[in-house]
Amino acid sequence: MRRISIFGATGSIGQSTIDLIRRDREAYDVVALTGGRNVDLLAHDARALGAEVAVTAYEDCLPALREALSGTGIQATAGEHALLEAAEREVNWTMSAIVGAAGLAPGLHALRHGTTLALANKESLVTAGPLLMRSAHSHGARILPVDSEHSAVFQALVGEDQSEVERVIITASGGPFRDWSLERLKTARLAEACTHPSWDMGQRITIDSASMFNKALELIETREYFGFAPEQIEVLVHPGSYVHALVGFRDGALMAHLGAPDMRHAIGYALHWPERRDLPVARLDLAKIGTLQFEAPDENRFPALRLAREVMAIGGLAGAVFNAAKEAALDLFITEKIGFLDMARIVETVLNDMSSGVSLRVNALSLDNVLEADKEARARAFSVQKTL
Ligand code: NAD
Ligand code: MG
C-alpha cells in the first residue's frame, strides 16, 4: 500500500487525482486531504477514501468540518499550521494542488520528509524554484511535474541526454481571446475569461490562460524545473491542445508529446512513475482531428509572455514578485474592480518598481524572503490599482 496525501483535494486537479485513486482503492492508504471552504466535498472524500486527517485552510470552516466528520474517527483540523502539520505526516507520494503561492510552504514541508512531490502548484516553482529544487535534492526527495506541458517535456526526455537538447517548445491553447484585437481585449469580461476552449480547470488558471499569464508562469516553471536557458524555451500557440510540448535535439529532431486535453494524463503519469499504467483518458483519433494548427504567440496583445522573460533575466525574487502581483491583479479582476488588460499593467508596474528600487537579487532564496517579497508585491499591486 502506498501512503499518499492530496493538498488542494477539492479543486480541479485534486478531484482528478481522487478519481484515479478511487479506481484502484486497494492500492492506496490515504493520509491527508486538504481543501478550502468546500467542507462538504472535503468531508465526503475523506470518508470515501478513509483518510487519516482532513484539513481546511480556513479556521472558521473547522466547526462545519468537525460536524461533517463526527463519528468517523477522521481527524479534522484547520489553518496554515494544520496544513504544515499534515505535510509532515510520513507518506510516499504527495499531490501539491493548492492554487497560488499558498501551496509553497506545504510543498516545502512535504519535501523535507522525503516524499515524492507531484507538483501541479506551478506557483511554487515560479516563486521559489531554486529553494524547492535544492530542498528536494538535499532531502533525497523527488519532484514530478504535473502540468501537461512539463509532464510532456519530462516524458520526451526519458533516456535522453539533456545536454543534447537545443530547445523546448511548450504549447498554449491561446485561450478564449486568441484572435481578439487589443481594442476588444479591453472590454473582455469576467464570464468570457472563465470559458476555456479546450481544458476544464479551476477558475484562476482558466483566467490566467485567457491572459496568457498561465503560459508566462509555465515559461518560468520550465526554466526552474529543467534548468534550460530562457532563450531555449519557446511558446507556440496550438488551439486544439493535442500537442502538449516538443523537445528539439541538436540533430534537428523534434520529439512531440500528444494526448487528449485531460489532466488525468499528467497526474496518472506522476502517480505511477516510473511505470506506465492504464489511464481512463480518451485516445486521440488523429484522422478525425485531421489538422494540427500552430501559430506564433503575440506578445503585444499578451504582454505576460514578455514579462516572464524579464522575470527570468532578473532572477532572484523577481518570480515571487511577478506571481504575487499577478495573484493580486487576478483578485481585482475577479471582483470586477479592474479591466482585463489592467492585470498586465499592474504586474508590469509592480515588477518595474520593485526591481529598480531595492534589488531583487539575493544570495539565496528562503521561505522568509520569498514570502516578504510576495507580501510587498501584493500590497503594491493594490496601490497601483488606485492610480489606474
Ligand atoms: P482549483 O481552484 O480548482 O483548486 C484549488 C485548491 O486549492 C482547492 O482545493 C482549494 O480549496 C485550495 N486552496 C485555495 N486557496 C487556498 C489557500 N489559500 N490555502 C490552502 N488551500 C487553498 O485549482 P486547480 O485548477 O485544481 O489548480 C491547482 C493548481 O494546479 C494550480 O497551481 C494550477 O496552476 C495547477 N494546474 C492546474 C491545472 C488544471 O487543469 N486545473 C493544470 C495544470 C496546473
Ligand atoms: Mg499547463
Side-chain angles (χ1 to χ4, degrees):
M1 292 267 273
R2 289 171 72 197
R3 287 172 62 80
I4 70 163
S5 286
I6 305 172
F7 286 76
T10 55
S12 165
I13 292 286
Q15 289 294 297
S16 293
T17 308
I18 288 175
D19 174 74
L20 294 180
I21 303 296
R22 289 188 77 160
R23 288 164 194 267
D24 194 10
R25 190 57 206 89
E26 303 310 306
Y28 305 99
D29 196 356
V30 175
V31 178
L33 295 183
T34 88
R37 300 206 171 274
N38 200 344
V39 166
D40 290 339
L41 180 60
L42 179 61
H44 170 272
D45 288 339
R47 282 170 182 263
L49 296 173
E52 275 177 21
V53 61
V55 191
T56 162
Y58 309 103
E59 308 266 1
D60 58 307
C61 293
L62 185 57
L65 184 62
R66 278 213 179 107
E67 166 83 33
L69 289 174
S70 71
T72 61
I74 301 168
Q75 218 183 321
T77 63
E80 270 175 52
H81 184 76
L83 282 171
L84 299 185
E85 189 279 326
E88 272 161 23
R89 298 191 182 212
E90 211 62 49
V91 289
N92 312 102
W93 192 87
T94 303
M95 167 52 77
S96 167
I98 287 175
V99 64
L104 173 62
L108 271 174
H109 261 72
L111 284 174
R112 286 181 194 143
H113 294 266
T115 185
T116 290
L117 190 71
L119 190 68
N121 179 259
K122 64 191 86 187
E123 296 90 343
S124 37
L125 276 173
V126 173
T127 55
L131 178 62
L132 209 70
M133 299 308 281
R134 201 170 61 230
S135 182
H137 186 76
S138 61
H139 294 97
R142 182 177 282 277
I143 301 175
L144 295 172
V146 181
D147 208 340
S148 54
E149 302 75 6
H150 306 76
S151 176
V153 172
F154 187 89
Q155 294 179 51
L157 287 172
V158 170
E160 301 288 352
D161 180 345
Q162 206 176 304
S163 68
E164 290 175 340
V165 172
E166 203 169 60
R167 59 181 178 147
V168 171
I169 304 170
I170 57 173
T171 59
S173 70
F177 306 145
R178 181 173 58 88
D179 51 13
W180 285 34
S181 67
L182 202 50
E183 214 34 54
R184 192 172 170 207
L185 281 175
K186 280 188 198 149
T187 68
R189 301 180 60 84
L190 178 62
E192 293 167 318
C194 288
T195 330
H196 198 279
S198 47
W199 292 93
D200 180 13
M201 310 181 286
Q203 188 197 38
R204 299 183 73 87
I205 183 174
T206 301
I207 302 169
D208 282 350
S209 298
S211 62
M212 294 276 244
F213 265 111
N214 180 50
K215 214 48 56 179
L217 297 179
E218 290 182 358
L219 269 174
I220 304 169
E221 183 186 7
T222 309
R223 156 117 188 101
E224 297 299 339
Y225 184 81
F226 298 100
F228 293 115
E231 55 277 15
Q232 285 180 291
I233 313 167
E234 300 168 25
V235 172
L236 180 66
V237 175
H238 166 48
S241 305
Y242 302 113
V243 180
H244 302 308
L246 305 99
V247 177
F249 293 89
R250 60 189 292 182
D251 58 358
L254 267 181
M255 306 292 281
H257 179 287
L258 284 80
D262 183 335
M263 283 308 293
R264 290 178 303 176
H265 214 130
I267 297 167
Y269 185 79
L271 182 61
H272 302 304
W273 181 88
E275 292 172 20
R276 283 190 187 271
R277 301 265 182 90
D278 296 347
L279 290 176
V281 297
R283 271 47 179 172
L284 290 186
D285 182 341
L286 289 172
K288 208 165 160 188
I289 292 166
T291 312
L292 297 176
Q293 185 189 344
F294 300 104
E295 58 196 58
D298 180 349
E299 296 192 3
N300 189 33
R301 286 183 302 132
F302 299 101
L305 297 175
R306 171 174 56 77
L307 296 177
R309 302 238 172 240
E310 284 177 26
V311 168
M312 291 191 284
I314 303 167
L317 292 166
V321 166
F322 178 66
N323 178 69
K326 191 280 296 173
E327 287 191 31
L330 181 58
D331 287 335
L332 290 167
F333 180 70
I334 290 175
T335 50
E336 302 190 289
K337 295 200 175 80
I338 59 169
F340 185 74
L341 292 180
D342 293 331
M343 287 193 283
R345 283 172 66 194
I346 289 178
V347 174
E348 181 157 22
T349 308
V350 173
L351 188 63
N352 285 345
D353 289 355
M354 286 183 70
S355 55
S356 61
V358 270
S359 174
L360 295 176
R361 293 199 176 87
V362 284
N363 288 334
L365 293 183
S366 66
L367 191 55
D368 284 346
N369 61 23
V370 165
L371 294 181
E372 203 176 302
D374 175 287
K375 197 170 154 198
E376 186 179 342
R378 280 174 208 262
R380 282 182 186 241
F382 290 115
S383 345
V384 172
Q385 182 241 332
K386 298 197 181 94
T387 67
L388 287 179

